[in-house]
Amino acid sequence: MTEAAELPPAPEVAREVFGDRFDDAVRYAELLAEAGVQRGLIGPREVPRLWERHLLNCAVLSEVVPEGVTVCDVGSGAGLPGIPLALVREDLKITLLEPLLRRTNFLTEVVELLGLDHVTVARGRAEEVMGKVPPVHVVTARAVAPLDRLATWGIPLLRPYGEMLALKGDTAEEELKSASTALSKLGAVGTSILHVGEGVVDPLSTVVRVEVGESPGGVRFAAKRAKAARTSRTRRRR
Protein backbone atom coordinates (compact mmCIF):
# COMPACT_ATOMS: atom_id res chain seq x y z
CA MET A 1 0.00 0.00 0.00
CA THR A 2 1.43 3.40 -1.01
CA GLU A 3 2.01 5.80 1.86
CA ALA A 4 -0.14 8.92 1.73
CA ALA A 5 1.66 12.03 0.52
CA GLU A 6 2.30 14.65 3.19
CA LEU A 7 0.85 18.14 3.00
CA PRO A 8 3.74 20.63 2.97
CA PRO A 9 3.65 23.69 5.26
CA ALA A 10 1.87 26.73 3.88
CA PRO A 11 4.22 29.06 1.99
CA GLU A 12 4.75 32.47 3.59
CA VAL A 13 2.92 34.23 0.76
CA ALA A 14 -0.26 32.37 1.77
CA ARG A 15 -0.36 34.45 4.98
CA GLU A 16 -0.48 37.61 2.89
CA VAL A 17 -3.08 36.27 0.46
CA PHE A 18 -5.50 34.82 3.03
CA GLY A 19 -4.89 37.38 5.79
CA ASP A 20 -7.23 36.88 8.76
CA ARG A 21 -8.51 33.71 7.12
CA PHE A 22 -5.06 32.08 6.93
CA ASP A 23 -5.86 29.50 9.66
CA ASP A 24 -9.05 28.58 7.79
CA ALA A 25 -7.07 28.17 4.58
CA VAL A 26 -4.70 25.79 6.41
CA ARG A 27 -7.66 23.81 7.73
CA TYR A 28 -9.15 23.61 4.24
CA ALA A 29 -5.83 22.37 2.85
CA GLU A 30 -5.75 19.70 5.57
CA LEU A 31 -9.31 18.63 4.74
CA LEU A 32 -8.41 18.32 1.05
CA ALA A 33 -5.29 16.30 1.90
CA GLU A 34 -7.23 13.97 4.21
CA ALA A 35 -10.97 13.64 3.53
CA GLY A 36 -10.58 15.01 0.00
CA VAL A 37 -8.20 12.21 -0.96
CA GLN A 38 -10.09 9.52 0.99
CA ARG A 39 -13.35 10.41 -0.79
CA GLY A 40 -11.74 10.59 -4.21
CA LEU A 41 -12.25 14.34 -4.64
CA ILE A 42 -8.58 14.98 -5.41
CA GLY A 43 -5.77 12.62 -6.33
CA PRO A 44 -3.09 11.79 -3.73
CA ARG A 45 -0.40 13.12 -6.09
CA GLU A 46 -1.94 16.60 -5.76
CA VAL A 47 -1.28 16.81 -2.01
CA PRO A 48 2.36 18.01 -2.21
CA ARG A 49 1.31 20.84 -4.53
CA LEU A 50 -2.00 21.76 -2.92
CA TRP A 51 -0.90 25.25 -1.94
CA GLU A 52 0.73 26.45 -5.16
CA ARG A 53 -1.33 24.59 -7.74
CA HIS A 54 -4.73 24.70 -6.07
CA LEU A 55 -5.37 27.08 -3.14
CA LEU A 56 -3.20 30.00 -4.22
CA ASN A 57 -3.83 29.41 -7.91
CA CYS A 58 -7.56 29.82 -7.19
CA ALA A 59 -7.34 32.58 -4.57
CA VAL A 60 -5.69 34.98 -7.01
CA LEU A 61 -8.83 34.85 -9.15
CA SER A 62 -10.06 37.48 -6.66
CA GLU A 63 -7.94 40.04 -8.52
CA VAL A 64 -10.47 40.14 -11.37
CA VAL A 65 -13.76 39.63 -9.51
CA PRO A 66 -15.64 42.92 -8.96
CA GLU A 67 -16.57 44.03 -5.44
CA GLY A 68 -19.80 42.95 -3.76
CA VAL A 69 -21.15 40.75 -6.55
CA THR A 70 -22.92 37.40 -6.63
CA VAL A 71 -20.89 34.42 -7.87
CA CYS A 72 -21.78 30.89 -8.96
CA ASP A 73 -18.91 28.40 -8.99
CA VAL A 74 -20.01 25.84 -11.61
CA GLY A 75 -18.87 22.24 -11.12
CA SER A 76 -17.28 23.23 -7.83
CA GLY A 77 -16.01 19.72 -7.06
CA ALA A 78 -13.86 19.95 -3.93
CA GLY A 79 -14.51 23.69 -3.77
CA LEU A 80 -11.97 25.00 -6.28
CA PRO A 81 -11.96 27.90 -7.00
CA GLY A 82 -15.04 28.79 -4.91
CA ILE A 83 -13.73 28.20 -1.39
CA PRO A 84 -10.32 29.91 -1.75
CA LEU A 85 -12.18 32.82 -3.37
CA ALA A 86 -14.62 32.90 -0.44
CA LEU A 87 -11.75 32.93 2.06
CA VAL A 88 -10.19 36.05 0.56
CA ARG A 89 -13.41 37.86 -0.44
CA GLU A 90 -16.07 38.06 2.25
CA ASP A 91 -17.81 40.79 0.23
CA LEU A 92 -19.01 38.19 -2.29
CA LYS A 93 -22.15 36.03 -2.15
CA ILE A 94 -21.00 32.68 -3.54
CA THR A 95 -22.96 29.60 -4.60
CA LEU A 96 -21.00 26.37 -4.99
CA LEU A 97 -22.89 24.39 -7.65
CA GLU A 98 -22.06 20.70 -7.90
CA PRO A 99 -24.17 17.73 -9.13
CA LEU A 100 -22.54 14.87 -7.17
CA LEU A 101 -23.84 14.12 -3.66
CA ARG A 102 -20.50 13.05 -2.16
CA ARG A 103 -18.98 16.33 -3.29
CA THR A 104 -21.85 18.50 -2.05
CA ASN A 105 -21.64 16.70 1.30
CA PHE A 106 -17.94 17.57 1.51
CA LEU A 107 -18.58 21.18 0.47
CA THR A 108 -21.34 21.58 3.07
CA GLU A 109 -19.04 20.23 5.79
CA VAL A 110 -16.24 22.62 4.76
CA VAL A 111 -18.55 25.65 4.59
CA GLU A 112 -19.96 24.91 8.06
CA LEU A 113 -16.58 24.10 9.61
CA LEU A 114 -14.96 27.28 8.29
CA GLY A 115 -17.98 29.46 9.09
CA LEU A 116 -18.37 30.72 5.53
CA ASP A 117 -21.73 32.45 6.05
CA HIS A 118 -21.57 34.10 2.63
CA VAL A 119 -21.37 30.74 0.83
CA THR A 120 -24.26 28.45 -0.20
CA VAL A 121 -23.93 24.90 -1.51
CA ALA A 122 -26.41 23.84 -4.22
CA ARG A 123 -26.68 20.38 -5.73
CA GLY A 124 -27.50 20.12 -9.43
CA ARG A 125 -26.25 20.49 -12.96
CA ALA A 126 -25.93 23.99 -14.34
CA GLU A 127 -28.42 23.28 -17.13
CA GLU A 128 -31.02 22.10 -14.59
CA VAL A 129 -30.93 24.98 -12.10
CA MET A 130 -32.00 27.93 -14.25
CA GLY A 131 -34.86 29.59 -12.40
CA LYS A 132 -33.96 27.77 -9.15
CA VAL A 133 -30.68 29.61 -8.60
CA PRO A 134 -30.98 33.41 -9.05
CA PRO A 135 -28.92 34.79 -11.97
CA VAL A 136 -25.48 35.97 -10.85
CA HIS A 137 -23.01 38.68 -11.79
CA VAL A 138 -20.09 36.25 -12.17
CA VAL A 139 -19.75 32.55 -13.01
CA THR A 140 -16.45 30.88 -12.11
CA ALA A 141 -15.11 27.47 -13.14
CA ARG A 142 -11.92 25.46 -13.08
CA ALA A 143 -11.09 22.15 -14.79
CA VAL A 144 -14.76 21.50 -15.61
CA ALA A 145 -14.91 21.21 -19.42
CA PRO A 146 -13.57 22.73 -22.66
CA LEU A 147 -14.60 26.37 -22.99
CA ASP A 148 -17.32 25.89 -25.63
CA ARG A 149 -19.12 23.30 -23.50
CA LEU A 150 -18.51 25.17 -20.25
CA ALA A 151 -20.04 28.29 -21.78
CA THR A 152 -23.32 26.50 -22.58
CA TRP A 153 -23.62 25.63 -18.88
CA GLY A 154 -22.26 28.78 -17.27
CA ILE A 155 -23.38 31.72 -19.41
CA PRO A 156 -27.16 31.11 -19.04
CA LEU A 157 -26.73 31.47 -15.25
CA LEU A 158 -25.50 35.05 -15.63
CA ARG A 159 -27.39 38.29 -15.15
CA PRO A 160 -27.39 40.69 -18.12
CA TYR A 161 -23.92 42.21 -18.56
CA GLY A 162 -22.35 39.59 -16.30
CA GLU A 163 -19.15 37.66 -16.96
CA MET A 164 -17.77 34.15 -16.84
CA LEU A 165 -14.24 33.71 -15.43
CA ALA A 166 -12.72 30.34 -16.29
CA LEU A 167 -9.35 29.29 -14.89
CA LYS A 168 -7.50 27.62 -17.73
CA GLY A 169 -3.99 26.44 -18.50
CA ASP A 170 -1.80 26.55 -21.61
CA THR A 171 -4.77 25.78 -23.86
CA ALA A 172 -6.61 29.04 -23.03
CA GLU A 173 -5.88 30.83 -26.30
CA GLU A 174 -6.64 27.79 -28.42
CA GLU A 175 -9.90 27.07 -26.56
CA LEU A 176 -11.01 30.68 -26.87
CA LYS A 177 -10.37 30.65 -30.62
CA SER A 178 -12.29 27.42 -31.22
CA ALA A 179 -15.18 28.52 -28.98
CA SER A 180 -15.68 31.93 -30.63
CA THR A 181 -18.74 30.94 -32.70
CA ALA A 182 -20.41 29.18 -29.78
CA LEU A 183 -19.71 32.14 -27.47
CA SER A 184 -21.22 34.58 -29.95
CA LYS A 185 -24.42 32.52 -30.17
CA LEU A 186 -24.57 32.49 -26.36
CA GLY A 187 -24.63 36.28 -26.20
CA ALA A 188 -20.95 36.98 -25.52
CA VAL A 189 -19.95 40.54 -26.42
CA GLY A 190 -16.30 40.45 -25.34
CA THR A 191 -13.55 37.99 -24.47
CA SER A 192 -10.05 38.31 -23.05
CA ILE A 193 -7.24 36.28 -21.51
CA LEU A 194 -5.94 37.56 -18.17
CA HIS A 195 -2.89 36.54 -16.14
CA VAL A 196 -3.20 36.98 -12.37
CA GLY A 197 -1.17 36.21 -9.27
CA GLU A 198 1.99 38.28 -9.82
CA GLY A 199 4.29 37.62 -6.86
CA VAL A 200 2.06 34.82 -5.58
CA VAL A 201 2.09 31.96 -8.10
CA ASP A 202 4.56 30.93 -10.78
CA PRO A 203 3.46 30.43 -13.49
CA LEU A 204 0.70 33.01 -13.25
CA SER A 205 -2.89 31.80 -13.22
CA THR A 206 -4.57 32.12 -16.61
CA VAL A 207 -8.18 33.31 -16.68
CA VAL A 208 -10.47 33.40 -19.70
CA ARG A 209 -13.01 36.20 -19.27
CA VAL A 210 -16.24 36.08 -21.28
CA GLU A 211 -18.49 39.13 -20.98
CA VAL A 212 -22.13 38.95 -22.00
CA GLY A 213 -24.66 41.53 -23.14
CA GLU A 214 -28.30 41.95 -22.22
CA SER A 215 -29.25 38.38 -23.16
CA PRO A 216 -26.96 35.80 -21.47
CA GLY A 217 -27.32 32.50 -23.29
CA GLY A 218 -28.55 34.21 -26.44
CA VAL A 219 -31.82 33.49 -28.23
CA ARG A 220 -31.64 29.81 -27.34
CA PHE A 221 -32.08 30.51 -23.63
CA ALA A 222 -34.30 33.62 -23.74
CA ALA A 223 -37.58 31.64 -23.77
CA LYS A 224 -36.32 29.21 -21.12
CA ARG A 225 -35.27 32.09 -18.86
CA ALA A 226 -38.63 33.85 -19.30
CA LYS A 227 -40.50 30.63 -18.47
CA ALA A 228 -38.34 30.07 -15.37
CA ALA A 229 -39.04 33.65 -14.22
CA ARG A 230 -42.81 33.16 -14.66
CA THR A 231 -42.69 29.87 -12.72
CA SER A 232 -40.71 31.53 -9.94
CA ARG A 233 -43.24 34.40 -9.66
CA THR A 234 -46.14 31.93 -9.57
CA ARG A 235 -44.48 30.00 -6.72
CA ARG A 236 -43.93 33.20 -4.73
CA ARG A 237 -47.62 34.19 -5.05
CA ARG A 238 -48.81 30.85 -3.65
Side-chain angles (χ1 to χ4, degrees), residues 45-97:
R45 291 183 182 178
E46 297 304 310
V47 173
R49 51 187 186 176
L50 266 178
W51 284 104
E52 287 80 2
R53 186 179 172 89
H54 298 287
L55 273 76
L56 290 170
N57 177 274
C58 290
V60 297
L61 182 62
S62 66
E63 294 177 21
V64 290
V65 177
E67 283 187 26
V69 298
T70 52
V71 178
C72 182
D73 188 32
V74 171
S76 196
L80 300 163
I83 288 176
L85 183 61
L87 288 169
V88 296
R89 294 288 301 276
E90 295 192 39
D91 60 300
L92 305 175
K93 295 284 186 190
I94 300 177
T95 298
L96 307 178
L97 181 62

Side-chain angles (χ1 to χ4, degrees), residues 60-134:
V60 297
L61 182 62
S62 66
E63 294 177 21
V64 290
V65 177
E67 283 187 26
V69 298
T70 52
V71 178
C72 182
D73 188 32
V74 171
S76 196
L80 300 163
I83 288 176
L85 183 61
L87 288 169
V88 296
R89 294 288 301 276
E90 295 192 39
D91 60 300
L92 305 175
K93 295 284 186 190
I94 300 177
T95 298
L96 307 178
L97 181 62
E98 168 56 47
L100 295 184
L101 180 61
R102 63 188 169 90
R103 292 177 181 169
T104 53
N105 285 343
F106 175 79
L107 292 173
T108 301
E109 290 166 21
V110 171
V111 166
E112 289 175 359
L113 185 67
L114 303 185
L116 298 174
D117 298 333
H118 57 307
V119 178
T120 302
V121 177
R123 186 181 173 205
R125 297 183 184 280
E127 60 269 33
E128 297 167 350
V129 300
M130 189 184 294
K132 299 174 187 174
V133 173

Side-chain angles (χ1 to χ4, degrees), residues 174-185:
E174 185 184 322
E175 284 192 48
L176 189 52
K177 195 178 292 183
S178 36
S180 60
T181 302
L183 292 174
S184 182
K185 287 179 181 176

